[in-house]
Amino acid sequence: MDGIERRAQRIAQQIAERLDASGCPRPRLGFILGSGWGAAADRMEISASFSFAQLEGMPMCGVPGHTGVFLCGTMAGKPAVAVQGRLHMYEGHPPAEAVLPVAVLYALGVRTIVLTNAAGAVNADYSAGDVMVIRDHINFTFRNPLAGLDSGERTRFVDLAHTYDEQLRAALCGACAGAGIPCREGVYMQVLGPSYETPAEVRAFRALGADAVGMSTAVEAIYARYLGMRVAAVSFLSNAAAGLSSGGVSHAEVLERSACHAAALSALLYTFADTADF
Ligand code: HPA
């Protein structure tokens, strides 16, 4: 077991003790709610919540829109946990720490994880306001959470050929249709950030095969696959990437645009939990 897994177990223990004491079932389904997705947990029935600050060993979230809280309860009647907030590498977190929330969910019993984020649309056929189910990723951060880990009985040579589970992807697309949201599928490129891209970078990313660009998710998916979890991921395309529209992009705008779609995004995750087989 690696150091992050051990650290995650100590954090998960603090959550599990309270869940067990109040008779709440352990979650099998987990959500990481990224920029603009915080309100997507509105459809959860919450039985307990734990801020990062109250959990010994958990770092703080330092980005507006990322509350830093584990919400435990049920989604569509299924025991679930949602993490509102992320630890980004651009805040200075090392790659292995950026995936700590994923490791905590695993230690709690989660075996199916849905990663959400806000992203810029790189594919010119995709529009701000669309949802993109992630089919594959390009990790353009040149960092890997498995580098340097003492992987013990696991292998660090993780096969990423089928990172994003086909059945879960289909369930997400179906849930989009159910929630009345235009649904795309595509390749997500993770960059380090925190600055947004230049138009030349966006042209280069498109040539490399990216449909959307953002600052998270790929490293989490890598770590989740290392742990053997089933992974699904979905982007809210909050803006056209640099150079593809006349307007600029700012973090406040990303949050504002996704807030307008909060009800649809929460309906999407609810319908997914209701209909997916996991
Ligand atoms: N680029 C990178 N990250 C993002 C963007 C973007 O255009 N929009 C939301 N997150």
Side-chain angles (χ1 to χ4, degrees), residues 37-263:
W37 285 82
D42 283 357
R43 301 280 299 270
M44 268 181 86
E45 292 215 8
I46 313 268
S47 42
S49 68
F50 305 82
S51 71
F52 286 12
Q54 80 189 88
L55 294 166
E56 204 187 315
M58 195 68 204
M60 298 289 282
C61 270
V63 185
H66 289 257
T67 326
V69 62
F70 290 87
L71 302 168
C72 301
T74 57
M75 181 79 109
K78 317 258 174 78
V81 53
V83 189
Q84 259 174 350
R86 265 207 168 89
L87 305 170
H88 296 90
M89 293 191 293
Y90 65 68
E91 294 171 76
H93 297 290
E97 190 166 275
V99 300
L100 186 58
V102 173
V104 172
L105 297 196
Y106 180 81
L108 272 176
V110 168
R111 295 296 177 265
T112 299
I113 191 164
V114 181
L115 309 168
T116 68
N117 61 49
V122 171
N123 185 325
D125 293 335
Y126 294 3
S127 311
D130 289 351
V131 161
M132 188 186 89
V133 174
I134 297 179
R135 182 177 359 103
D136 204 349
H137 75 230
I138 300 171
N139 177 6
F140 209 68
T141 66
F142 306 104
R143 286 158 178 78
N144 192 305
L146 308 181
L149 279 193
D150 170 14
S151 51
E153 73 280 7
R154 300 188 194 282
T155 178
R156 69 183 79 181
F157 301 108
V158 178
D159 181 353
L160 295 177
H162 305 283
T163 307
Y164 300 94
D165 187 284
E166 204 175 325
Q167 282 175 345
L168 299 178
R169 271 167 35 210
L172 276 172
C173 289
C176 278
I181 305 170
C183 179
R184 313 293 198 166
E185 259 202 290
V187 175
Y188 174 87
M189 175 175 271
Q190 181 178 356
V191 293
L192 182 62
S195 54
Y196 290 108
E197 298 70 39
T198 63
E201 286 168 340
V202 170
R203 284 194 299 276
F205 294 169
R206 193 164 39 185
L208 288 174
D211 295 299
V213 59
M215 303 174 193
S216 67
T217 303
V219 293
E220 292 163 15
I222 293 170
Y223 194 78
R225 288 304 300 142
Y226 161 77
L227 295 174
M229 297 163 105
R230 288 177 78 197
V231 178
V234 57
S235 298
F236 173 69
L237 303 182
S238 53
N239 56 281
L244 294 176
S245 80
S246 48
V249 53
S250 71
H251 185 61
E253 233 177 300
V254 168
L255 295 181
E256 204 181 292
R257 289 200 193 142
S258 16
C260 298
H261 292 75

Side-chain angles (χ1 to χ4, degrees), residues 15-40:
I15 298 175
E17 272 167 16
R18 251 189 56 201
L19 292 185
D20 294 349
S22 46
C24 299
R26 297 284 188 97
R28 302 279 298 169
L29 172 65
F31 297 98
I32 304 271
L33 302 176
S35 293
W37 285 82

